[in-house]
Amino acid sequence: LRHGWPLSAITDEIRRALGVVPHILPMTDQRAETKIVTGEGVLHFQEYLVQRRNEPAVQGVIYEGIEVARPAPGVCEAIRTADGIIIPPSNPIVSIGTILAVPGVRQALAARRGRVVAVSPIVQGATLKGPADKLMVASGYEASALGVARYYGALLDAFVLDTLDQPLAESARHLDIGVRVLNTIMSGPAERCALAQAVVEML
């Protein structure tokens, strides 16, 4: 970066060096940082997550620099030409939401509705890892699989929630998206493969 290489070129260099076959694209080559607004001031997300261990009460999220960012080369094309798009069970606000905030990315994804499936990272009102539940509430959404479905809304054709959240399935279907109830708690390779296969079949 200090020598002027764009992040997308660096990412591809690392991918090739490691022998990774699929292309890996960062969301943008411009600098964009996620900040968490707390009662103790504005913290960089890594400071909030690692140093402060998700403890300060969250009041909001800021995507600093995102308004002048542009999708990295190939990002919108990959969305446009993909056979299907899977939004994984990552943090909707600071993992997926940051990407969707890059101007042009949400629009590209919305144009592919009908080929987009998301998997909920929240099970029975809590995340298995990370502060997604706290950040969902701070962003105005309930900390539940249903809240995740509402967050993505019209971007989705289908949504996967965990078997423990079966009672929420009917409410999610009222959002005009297909809903499937599966075991999303990936405790080992067998569960990972089963979930991946089921989501691919949905597409």
Side-chain angles (χ1 to χ4, degrees):
L1 286 171
R2 285 195 300 269
H3 286 282
W5 279 44
L7 181 61
S8 53
I10 298 169
T11 302
D12 200 56
E13 186 80 3
I14 295 171
R15 174 187 73 85
R16 292 172 184 270
L18 294 175
V20 176
V21 176
H23 289 282
I24 300 174
L25 306 173
M27 65 180 194
T28 184
D29 280 335
Q30 282 71 53
R31 187 176 185 86
E33 298 183 55
T34 301
K35 303 287 183 70
I36 307 299
V37 182
T38 76
E40 301 176 25
V42 178
L43 306 175
H44 189 284
F45 177 63
Q46 294 300 329
E47 183 182 2
Y48 165 78
L49 181 70
V50 179
Q51 186 179 33
R52 304 303 301 277
R53 300 182 180 181
N54 311 329
E55 290 179 356
V58 179
Q59 298 175 350
V61 179
I62 299 170
Y63 304 132
E64 192 172 276
I66 207 72
E67 65 280 353
V68 295
R70 300 183 303 278
V75 168
C76 289
E77 181 183 3
I79 294 172
R80 186 170 58 251
T81 60
D83 293 330
I85 299 160
I86 300 170
I87 300 177
S90 296
N91 190 312
I93 307 299
V94 297
S95 294
I96 308 302
T98 312
I99 300 170
L100 294 176
V102 177
V105 171
R106 177 179 285 275
Q107 293 85 339
L109 199 60
R112 294 305 313 277
R113 192 188 182 200
R115 303 297 296 172
V116 182
V117 177
V119 180
S120 176
I122 295 181
V123 178
Q124 290 193 313
T127 49
L128 299 178
K129 180 181 179 182
D133 45 0
K134 296 178 181 178
L135 297 173
M136 287 285 292
V137 171
S139 299
Y141 295 87
E142 64 183 84
S144 70
L146 184 58
V148 175
R150 286 173 173 151
Y151 177 77
Y152 292 131
L155 295 176
L156 301 182
D157 177 61
F159 183 68
V160 176
L161 48 77
D162 192 78
T163 52
L164 295 173
D165 282 327
Q166 169 78 53
L168 300 177
E170 194 56 39
S171 295
R173 290 188 180 99
H174 290 160
L175 300 175
D176 193 30
I177 55 178
V179 175
R180 189 163 176 188
V181 180
L182 299 168
N183 176 22
T184 65
I185 301 175
M186 295 174 279
S187 54
E191 291 83 1
R192 295 186 187 105
C193 288
L195 179 59
Q197 184 64 41
V199 173
V200 170
E201 288 173 358
M202 291 174 69
L203 288 170

